[in-house]
Amino acid sequence: NQLTSLPPEIVQLTSLKGLYLGTNELTSLPREIVKLTSLEMLDLRNNQLKILPESLLELKMEILYSDGYLREGINLYDNPIESPPLEVVKKGKGAVKAYFDSLKDGEKEALNEVKVILVGDGYAGKTSLLKRLTENKFDKDEAQTQGINIEDWEVKEKDKDIKIHFWDFGGQEIMHATHQFFLSKRSLYILVIDGRKDDKAEYWLKHIESFGGDSPVLVVVNKIDENAGFDLNNLFLQNKYKGIIGFYRVSCKTGKGINSFRKVVKRELAKSKLLETTWAKTWFNVKNRLEKMEESFINFERYKEICEEELLIDPAQQDTLIEFLNDLGVVVNFKDFNLEDTHVLEPNWATNAVYKVINSELLAENKGALHFKSMTKILEQQTEKDFYYPREQYRYIIELMKKFELCFGINDNSVLVPDLLPVSEPKFKFDYEGALNFFIEYDFLPKTVMPRFIVKMHNDIVKNRLWRTGVVLEDKHFNSTAVVKADHEAKKIHISVNGMQRQDYFAVIISSLRGINNSFEKIDAIEKVPMPDNPNISANYEDLIYWEGKGETTYIPPGSKEKYDISELLGRVSVKGKNEIFILDGVRTAIRSKLFSHKDKMGDEE
Ligand code: GDP
Ligand code: MG
């Protein structure tokens, strides 16, 4: 016959002894089939069954795989079975049962593995601390870490064998953009502060909070051999940053404080929630296989194959596992369409390529413009120790840099890296007085916000009107131009828009910035409107909306005695509510096509 499914009523035939369904097109069996309790023979040969329900085990018949007719048992011969794996099915009912059991709670094991991330300014002593912790050694001429240095350390604490993956980041400022993607939530953080310098503890604590959420943080003041008097305002920081577990003072040079700090690290890890994750045995098997592989990267098909060889058949589980492995740092895998096919087994393989490109002289000479042709030269293997980058992976590296919002495509064959743009603002004319002016005030303005914004808005950039911290934009639909600039000293981003439909263009710009701001876990970005006659005085955008809603028509901003017309102030900006934009019908299509064209090019999720 051509049956693709069974009628549900069939399960009412509780006295049925034999059911011959061979040579049909069945793709699945109803769970309720177990109600056919009298069955002694179920012939399912030559169907299209891929997934067998676990309930099949409840039928009191053996599971068989034989090309001939059998009087007894469930015969599954000639089906494209995937789950449980065919090999398992061929071994019979016992093996099938074991397979299903292995997916259940009883067979799980504790992972006991954790990622520990060292952060802090370059030269603070991160690498030195890592060396002290793991080998108790010190090198007074420690070389600058390039990119990311990953080291494994195994310790025994309270009967637990804990495997620690230390991630030690190089300090170059330009790299913070790439680092943020490795600052994961399931991690312990160690912040290293240089005890000889003015501390930047808050900058880093903010950074950790932004990307790591409430992950635990150990704050270490290093180099106390040189400046014993240096101290942080512990109580103040502790109250402000809830993730802080404690403060420790060490000298990597003399070794002072190291032993007790090492104990703290072990103790904190042993009691950390991070270790409570449990995995099915098959997951461990896949992980072990991947860790032993020599390759720097594999493609998706190969990963799937390995999973299947280790009896991890369910695609949903394969996906979950890869996410875990990504958090642990065993594999780097990004979900984006252009990136998902490459599974990086050696995180340094990927980051080093990005670092090589970013730091290349060629790129600096070209003021941030990179032609794909030069990739061959930049990524060339110079010594045997260097990673090998086959040509077909160049696209991946470029996509990765786009993902990090480090660059955007100028044309089909080249990209631009805004971080390497000239620092000084070019000369151009813009009527700031008549413009719609607005600014965003940050409690912490990550260096990456402006380059990411430039990357997002790259379709609108007025030729040559961009520099490292600002950009001039133009939109032909709206007949408007805008200047957007970051002031890192004041932690502000200024937006000025001029033109026919400046309010609408403003809406597009602010929504793009909000998208970036929302990507940080914790960041305060307050949107403000400067007073037209006195830019030193400003009103909170939210307050204006609030008072307008209460029926007020005028508002006296803090620090002023003047009354301002609320609708006039708000009339300058057409954004309503924190996350919505109201846009006139006529321009909606224009905006939509703009947002979507961005989406296509950038793989943007908004
Ligand atoms: P990183 O950039 O944060 O990884 O810092 P490094 O570990 O490379 O250390 C930077 C420099 O500081 C190196 O020259 C180290 O030898 C030196 N250093 C590290 N720890 C100490 C310390 O406790 N005391 C002193 N005097 N120097 C240290
Ligand atoms: Mg270092």
Side-chain angles (χ1 to χ4, degrees):
N1 289 298
Q2 300 293 318
L3 299 178
T4 54
S5 63
L6 294 176
E9 291 81 352
I10 202 158
V11 305
Q12 294 169 24
L13 300 171
T14 49
S15 304
L16 191 69
K17 291 210 159 174
L19 182 55
Y20 186 85
L21 291 165
T23 320
N24 274 291
E25 298 293 328
L26 296 177
T27 54
S28 67
L29 293 173
R31 285 181 62 82
E32 292 81 347
I33 198 150
V34 298
K35 291 188 182 153
L36 299 176
T37 45
S38 306
L39 269 191
E40 288 166 11
M41 185 278 287
L42 176 59
D43 196 329
L44 291 163
R45 285 177 297 161
N46 190 14
N47 274 284
Q48 295 301 321
L49 297 171
K50 281 191 176 165
I51 294 165
L52 304 181
E54 190 183 358
S55 55
L56 216 55
L57 291 168
E58 292 168 37
L59 289 168
K60 291 186 184 54
M61 287 177 283
E62 181 55 274
I63 291 174
L64 302 157
Y65 199 84
S66 159
D67 64 351
Y69 171 76
L70 300 170
R71 284 164 178 277
E72 286 177 344
I74 306 171
N75 194 347
L76 291 162
Y77 184 76
D78 204 12
N79 277 282
I81 296 171
E82 284 178 7
S83 171
L86 190 56
E87 287 69 18
V88 173
V89 174
K90 282 181 179 170
K91 286 189 187 132
K93 194 168 182 175
V96 172
K97 183 169 184 318
Y99 171 79
F100 280 116
D101 286 347
S102 81
L103 302 179
K104 290 187 201 135
D105 290 342
E107 291 281 326
K108 287 191 171 170
E109 269 174 47
L111 178 61
N112 279 352
E113 240 179 87
V114 65
K115 186 167 159 186
V116 176
I117 302 178
L118 290 144
V119 292
D121 278 1
Y123 216 67
K126 298 180 290 297
T127 309
S128 301
L129 183 64
L130 178 53
K131 267 211 180 127
R132 273 291 186 193
L133 285 177
T134 54
E135 311 168 56
N136 206 11
K137 281 190 190 141
F138 177 73
D139 179 356
K140 68 176 180 18
D141 304 313
E142 189 60 56
Q144 264 274 358
T145 312
Q146 296 295 325
I148 299 169
N149 166 34
I150 299 170
E151 261 174 63
D152 292 348
W153 187 38
E154 282 171 46
V155 298
K156 208 175 172 78
E157 179 77 8
K158 296 212 173 92
D159 299 333
K160 281 185 194 160
D161 289 311
I162 309 173
K163 201 166 163 191
I164 302 168
H165 306 287
F166 278 109
W167 285 54
D168 169 24
F169 292 97
Q172 304 96 313
E173 188 123 36
I174 195 168
M175 303 312 181
H176 293 180
T178 45
H179 294 168
Q180 70 196 26
F181 289 88
F182 300 102
L183 300 184
S184 56
K185 296 214 176 69
R186 271 187 285 247
S187 315
L188 174 84
Y189 285 82
I190 298 179
L191 168 58
V192 184
I193 303 287
D194 186 339
R196 299 182 305 191
K197 288 201 209 145
D198 283 345
D199 74 289
K200 267 177 50 192
E202 281 214 68
Y203 169 87
W204 285 109
L205 288 165
K206 276 267 165 210
H207 217 76
I208 296 169
E209 254 194 356
S210 302
F211 300 105
D214 288 326
S215 293
V217 190
L218 307 176
V219 183
V220 178
V221 175
N222 185 30
K223 308 197 185 180
I224 54 166
D225 56 291
E226 298 216 344
N227 187 357
F230 179 90
D231 215 346
L232 294 167
N233 191 345
N234 297 3
L235 203 61
F236 167 78
L237 292 174
Q238 184 106 52
N239 282 330
K240 196 161 167 190
Y241 302 94
K242 298 293 173 214
I244 295 180
I245 287 177
F247 296 85
Y248 313 91
R249 299 168 65 78
V250 304
S251 163
C252 291
K253 188 177 179 184
T254 64
K256 194 166 181 207
I258 294 289
N259 282 339
S260 54
F261 181 64
R262 191 185 295 111
K263 276 186 200 138
V264 169
V265 174
K266 288 190 193 175
R267 186 191 70 212
E268 286 308 320
L269 285 175
K271 71 179 191 202
S272 143
K273 282 210 169 31
L274 306 166
L275 294 180
E276 283 167 17
T277 320
T278 54
W279 275 13
K281 189 106 186 59
T282 48
W283 289 30
F284 279 101
N285 295 343
V286 172
K287 175 170 161 288
N288 289 339
R289 282 277 298 274
L290 293 173
E291 281 175 334
K292 286 205 188 86
M293 291 184 77
E294 301 253 306
E295 290 92 328
S296 304
F297 62 93
I298 54 171
N299 63 20
F300 174 74
E301 288 306 317
R302 185 75 191 107
Y303 169 69
K304 212 173 148 59
E305 251 172 54
I306 292 170
C307 284
E308 280 163 12
E309 283 164 21
E310 298 300 337
L311 306 186
L312 182 68
I313 307 298
D314 179 11
Q317 284 200 40
Q318 294 173 357
D319 281 355
T320 318
L321 176 60
I322 201 79
E323 264 173 53
F324 262 113
L325 293 172
N326 184 60
D327 273 355
L328 275 180
V330 174
V331 171
V332 178
N333 177 249
F334 298 104
K335 290 254 157 284
D336 316 48
F337 177 72
N338 286 321
L339 295 167
E340 69 182 356
D341 196 47
T342 299
H343 289 33
V344 178
L345 297 174
E346 173 74 74
N348 270 328
W349 176 82
T351 52
N352 265 309
V354 175
Y355 297 144
K356 270 189 163 172
V357 173
I358 296 279
N359 287 323
S360 75
E361 274 172 32
L362 255 162
L363 196 64
E365 279 164 17
N366 289 332
K367 299 261 183 289
L370 171 74
H371 197 280
F372 292 168
K373 264 196 210 148
S374 40
M375 296 276 285
T376 325
K377 196 158 169 21
I378 295 172
L379 296 178
E380 192 175 48
Q381 223 173 354
Q382 280 174 342
T383 67
E384 284 221 339
K385 272 183 151 183
D386 287 357
F387 285 111
Y388 170 59
Y389 299 98
R391 283 187 79 86
E392 62 271 20
Q393 288 295 331
Y394 291 176
R395 285 272 157 199
Y396 178 81
I397 305 297
I398 293 288
E399 286 302 326
L400 206 57
M401 290 177 55
K402 286 188 182 167
K403 156 93 184 165
F404 294 154
E405 293 181 343
L406 278 169
C407 73
F408 58 86
I410 317 175
N411 54 41
D412 285 350
N413 298 314
S414 37
V415 292
L416 188 80
V417 182
D419 251 316
L420 295 174
L421 282 167
V423 175
S424 63
E425 183 175 325
K427 280 209 174 77
F428 58 89
K429 282 208 178 91
F430 189 85
D431 173 20
Y432 288 99
E433 290 261 307
L436 183 166
N437 292 304
F438 195 88
F439 65 93
I440 306 178
E441 199 172 72
Y442 292 81
D443 63 333
F444 164 66
L445 174 53
K447 279 274 187 320
T448 55
V449 171
M450 202 57 203
R452 282 174 66 186
F453 175 73
I454 294 176
V455 172
K456 275 184 146 183
M457 300 298 289
H458 70 279
N459 283 333
D460 293 6
I461 297 169
V462 179
K463 198 161 188 287
N464 297 329
R465 296 279 186 272
L466 83 159
W467 60 105
R468 208 169 285 184
T469 53
V471 64
V472 183
L473 304 168
E474 180 179 39
D475 185 288
K476 297 232 157 61
H477 291 296
F478 296 144
N479 232 317
S480 303
T481 37
V483 179
V484 182
K485 292 185 207 183
D487 178 344
H488 284 282
E489 276 300 306
K491 294 185 262 188
K492 282 180 190 160
I493 289 184
H494 295 273
I495 304 151
S496 302
V497 195
N498 254 328
M500 289 281 286
Q501 284 169 280
R502 54 188 195 173
Q503 298 181 339
D504 298 316
Y505 196 31
F506 171 79
V508 173
I509 291 170
I510 194 76
S511 118
S512 168
L513 279 166
R514 282 174 180 173
I516 297 171
N517 294 340
N518 290 340
S519 73
F520 295 96
E521 191 72 18
K522 283 184 181 173
I523 207 167
D524 279 336
I526 304 166
E527 299 173 353
K528 293 189 164 183
V529 184
M531 296 306 113
D533 59 339
N534 184 356
N536 292 328
I537 302 234
S538 60
N540 274 8
Y541 179 67
E542 251 186 323
D543 292 350
L544 292 177
I545 296 283
Y546 174 80
W547 290 116
E548 187 190 43
K550 292 267 171 203
E552 295 286 335
T553 54
T554 56
Y555 177 74
I556 305 173
S560 169
K561 293 188 178 69
E562 297 277 324
K563 270 188 185 164
Y564 291 87
D565 187 77
I566 293 183
S567 69
E568 194 193 315
L569 288 176
L570 284 176
R572 296 170 175 278
V573 290
S574 71
V575 185
K576 285 249 169 80
K578 195 125 182 119
N579 290 307
E580 323 168 53
I581 314 166
F582 286 87
I583 296 156
L584 301 173
D585 256 334
V587 295
R588 190 167 284 153
T589 346
I591 292 189
R592 203 169 278 157
S593 68
K594 168 169 287 297
L595 292 177
F596 279 97
S597 76
H598 279 200
K599 185 179 169 174
D600 289 342
K601 296 212 172 66
M602 307 299 303
D604 208 324
E605 278 166 19
E606 282 148 278

